[in-house]
Amino acid sequence: MSVLFYNARIWRSGAECYSWMVFNPETGKIVKCGTDQNLPLEECSKKRDMKRQWIFPGFHDCHLHVEWLGYKIGGKNMDLPPTIIAFKEKVLELSNKQDGVWVIGYGWNHDMMDRMPDKADIDEIISDRPAIMFRICQHILVANSKALEIAQITDKTEDPLNGRIDRYPEGHKLAGHPTGVLREDGGVGAMLKAMPPFSTKLQESSITLALQECLKVGLTSVHPCDNQCWKAYRNLANQNSLPIHCYFSGWYVDIDTDNFPSKPKDAYDNLSCECVKVFIDGALNGETAALSEPYLNSDGNKGVLQMTEEEIEESFTRITKAGYRLEIHVIGDRATEITLKYLKKCKVPPESRPLLVHCQILREDLLDEMVKCGVVPTIQPSFVPTDTLEIRNRLPQSLMQCIYPWKTLLKKGIICGGSSDAPIETFDPLQGMYDAIFRPDNFYGGDRSFTPDECLTFQEAVDLYTTGSAYADNTETTKGKIGAGYQADFVILKVPLNNQGEPMDLPKQPELLKSCSVKEVWIKGQCALEN
Ligand SMILES: [Zn+2]
């Protein structure tokens, strides 16, 4: 049984669009495609006039935090409060909504508020239950006094090497005591260890909720980065409850726990795990991303390395020997430099395509080494508009030249995967493509492009979320394209109509991405969603 879609505009990167395709819902594969008028009518049991609609390969987000996206959608969202008063109102709302012992919130950004929140702000609302509120980046949280007490973080606690415990300054009545703000693994991680873990059931419902939302925006594959979640994913896979394919990456800190795949490439229907994630540095907005030069006005702060060089060497060697691919969090140029050094030293094979997640600040001199090491950057175009608000206050001028260098990477022949880092940024791939093409500079109200030389073309932006992500997940021979033999994963877009009532020419007018939405999503030749 074959199905023919004709009179369509079927995206083909770098070539004239196909006007028709035949796919087989039983095998889940595309049988053939063409640009000519000779439709294979007699071979097909069903046919559909697509009325010139645009069809793209299923979109693929190769780095996001699905579990936390589910928590955000499912009631822990703080919605970026604009002031400390609004922050407190959100804390109250969350504490009324959550009946567990711990109150957990997610999604504030001090750059958008009058000041950094502290434990006193939460204590005012919640003093009898432990409460923690994550910053939007998840690299920073603020805890109330009860939570600090449970985690035994006091004025006597020493500063961790791989993170920070913020303290009240000299002259404050609580000078030297923790403010409640904890940063990176040494701070956030210490708090998480003190908390009871989320139950597998809760994780499962959160993951399910998030994946259903992902499907609605046209994502047919995702690469979740969720720690202590393997059991939840495996249970969902065993119940046939994963609506889209999940290329799960385990966390290195979980490798010796029972919540980790029993072997590399452990694969189920719609679930596989090839990668293990390590964190080299922190994040830009917490000024913990590891730079080669100090942050502006920072007393020489060059960011934080989350691992010692010995630990980096040990983890790279162990992960590679165990048969996994490396997935490495690097934001600052110093983090990438150290990573490349140890990829070589540990003889990590370039053909294993080590993933470098983020790559926000790169120096020109690192690019050749990146090519040699075979790394695949998994990048987040939507960071650009968000970060333009503050970036000029944080980075020294010398590093402003090589920030979010997406075009530079592509020109070097380095294939990049497109991703969102949701829930930090929106998981809508159409918005991601728009941001890759236009790089809106919010410092100037979004009307002009930030470092315009790095703007991508429509084709390059679509490639990020299709062929690029498929390459990042080692699956480019079966996914990321519409063509004979490929999996029949595709998205029909709703594009604004022209005067003749025909969908407009989206590739020629990429600004239309803002007004497009997803009409239908097909996975393995079956309609998975109709909006
Ligand atoms: Zn992330």
Side-chain angles (χ1 to χ4, degrees):
M1 188 186 87
S2 293
V3 179
L4 169 69
F5 280 11
Y6 66 98
N7 192 25
R9 281 178 284 184
I10 301 167
W11 175 255
R12 200 155 53 125
S13 184
E16 185 195 345
C17 287
Y18 291 125
S19 58
W20 57 265
M21 67 172 166
V22 175
F23 60 92
N24 184 332
E26 277 155 17
T27 62
K29 296 246 169 75
I30 294 166
V31 181
K32 55 170 110 166
C33 307
T35 52
D36 53 357
Q37 297 304 314
N38 303 319
L39 301 176
L41 290 168
E42 57 299 330
E43 295 169 35
C44 300
S45 52
K46 279 190 189 163
K47 41 196 165 291
R48 178 171 162 194
D49 180 353
M50 298 309 292
K51 304 194 168 97
R52 302 275 290 152
Q53 291 185 94
W54 285 98
I55 303 180
F56 285 82
F59 301 131
H60 183 155
D61 185 323
C62 60
H63 176 75
L64 77 171
H65 305 277
V66 173
E67 181 199 13
W68 274 88
L69 177 60
Y71 294 144
K72 182 180 176 186
I73 301 167
K76 293 187 175 17
N77 193 7
M78 300 191 80
D79 271 329
L80 295 173
T83 60
I84 289 291
I85 293 173
F87 174 91
K88 290 181 193 170
E89 284 166 4
K90 276 287 163 194
V91 171
L92 179 63
E93 196 184 308
L94 291 168
S95 94
N96 289 337
K97 250 196 306 208
Q98 297 177 21
D99 31 77
V101 175
W102 287 69
V103 182
I104 297 164
Y106 167 80
W108 53 270
N109 180 356
H110 60 287
D111 290 333
M112 295 176 174
M113 296 196 285
D114 25 346
R115 63 169 166 80
M116 190 73 139
D118 70 356
K119 62 184 175 191
D121 296 319
I122 311 181
D123 286 348
E124 223 178 89
I125 317 288
I126 310 170
S127 55
D128 54 337
R129 300 156 78 191
I132 55 172
M133 304 292 140
F134 285 90
R135 191 184 181 279
I136 184 96
C137 63
Q138 278 188 316
H139 288 257
I140 301 176
L141 64 77
V142 54
N144 70 351
S145 295
K146 190 82 188 166
L148 291 171
E149 184 190 314
I150 292 171
Q152 298 177 343
I153 296 171
T154 68
D155 56 329
K156 310 264 177 335
T157 308
E158 275 183 38
D159 278 318
L161 286 175
N162 53 350
R164 214 182 306 160
I165 296 168
D166 284 17
R167 294 169 200 274
Y168 290 110
E170 288 302 316
H172 191 282
K173 63 179 189 300
L174 290 172
H177 285 261
T179 68
V181 172
L182 307 174
R183 297 172 195 253
E184 302 303 336
D185 198 36
V188 174
M191 180 56 72
L192 292 178
K193 277 191 202 111
M195 283 173 62
F198 294 135
S199 73
T200 309
K201 274 271 158 286
L202 177 68
Q203 291 175 328
E204 285 172 26
S205 61
S206 175
I207 291 163
T208 306
L209 178 66
L211 291 178
Q212 278 156 356
E213 293 302 309
C214 288
L215 182 62
K216 286 183 195 162
V217 294
L219 292 167
T220 56
S221 299
V222 289
H223 184 113
C225 180
D226 295 329
N227 74 323
Q228 284 288 312
C229 275
W230 173 249
K231 282 184 190 167
Y233 278 94
R234 202 191 47 203
N235 291 349
L236 290 169
N238 283 334
Q239 297 152 19
N240 257 326
S241 301
L242 293 172
I244 60 181
H245 195 104
C246 297
Y247 296 92
F248 181 84
S249 63
W251 284 32
Y252 185 60
V253 288
D254 294 346
I255 200 164
D256 292 319
T257 71
D258 66 347
N259 207 341
F260 201 82
S262 53
K263 58 182 189 301
K265 304 201 171 70
D266 204 0
Y268 297 76
D269 195 24
N270 270 351
L271 176 66
S272 50
C273 174
E274 285 192 354
C275 297
V276 176
K277 176 101 188 259
V278 292
F279 290 81
I280 303 296
D281 65 345
L284 215 43
N285 291 333
E287 302 196 348
T288 49
L291 306 180
S292 55
E293 290 178 52
Y295 288 90
L296 289 180
N297 316 316
S298 74
D299 281 341
N301 172 32
K302 290 185 179 180
V304 172
L305 288 180
Q306 307 239 35
M307 301 165 100
T308 63
E309 296 205 23
E310 292 73 34
E311 286 168 337
I312 294 172
E313 181 167 2
E314 189 195 316
S315 66
F316 283 16
T317 307
R318 184 170 172 200
I319 291 167
T320 307
K321 276 201 179 136
Y324 286 99
R325 296 171 60 206
L326 274 162
E327 179 172 345
I328 308 158
H329 168 109
V330 285
I331 290 189
D333 60 327
R334 185 159 62 96
T336 298
E337 189 172 0
I338 290 174
T339 295
L340 295 170
K341 175 178 159 191
Y342 283 98
L343 285 176
K344 275 194 296 186
K345 188 156 187 225
C346 304
K347 300 197 168 54
V348 177
E351 55 278 12
S352 73
R353 301 180 186 171
L355 300 178
L356 294 194
V357 188
H358 306 307
C359 289
Q360 280 164 240
I361 300 157
L362 292 172
R363 296 191 318 270
E364 189 86 40
D365 62 286
L366 298 172
L367 299 176
D368 287 329
E369 283 303 309
M370 289 175 72
V371 173
K372 277 187 210 148
C373 290
V375 298
V376 181
T378 54
I379 60 172
Q380 299 78 33
S382 293
F383 276 159
V384 176
T386 304
D387 289 359
T388 48
L389 282 173
E390 279 298 320
I391 200 77
R392 293 167 178 87
N393 300 329
R394 293 219 162 92
L395 283 191
Q397 195 51 39
S398 54
L399 292 179
M400 286 295 287
Q401 311 306 321
C402 45
I403 177 162
Y404 311 107
W406 313 147
K407 188 79 168 192
T408 302
L409 286 171
L410 296 182
K411 275 192 197 150
K412 265 276 170 197
I414 297 172
I415 298 173
C416 299
S419 62
S420 63
D421 211 8
I424 296 174
E425 295 292 343
T426 170
F427 55 99
D428 179 356
L430 298 177
Q431 181 67 46
M433 290 172 204
Y434 181 92
D435 292 334
I437 298 166
F438 294 101
R439 295 170 72 91
D441 189 339
N442 281 339
F443 188 75
Y444 295 105
D447 292 338
R448 54 168 108 162
S449 296
F450 179 71
T451 48
D453 289 349
E454 299 292 346
C455 288
L456 302 191
T457 63
F458 181 82
Q459 183 185 326
E460 288 165 338
V462 176
D463 284 352
L464 285 182
Y465 292 87
T466 53
T467 51
S469 288
Y471 184 83
D473 274 319
N474 238 337
T475 178
E476 75 276 13
T477 53
T478 53
K479 287 186 173 187
K481 281 184 186 172
I482 295 176
Y486 279 82
Q487 190 165 305
D489 291 358
F490 55 86
V491 177
I492 304 171
L493 286 189
K494 194 171 179 189
V495 177
L497 305 178
N498 63 17
N499 294 338
Q500 287 80 48
E502 191 176 88
M504 290 166 87
D505 196 343
L506 177 60
K508 287 216 175 87
Q509 292 169 270
E511 64 280 4
L512 291 173
L513 280 167
K514 279 270 201 203
S515 339
C516 291
S517 58
V518 167
K519 194 165 171 239
E520 290 171 39
V521 184
W522 290 67
I523 297 179
K524 294 178 195 162
Q526 309 280 346
C527 185
L529 179 113
E530 235 177 301
N531 274 333

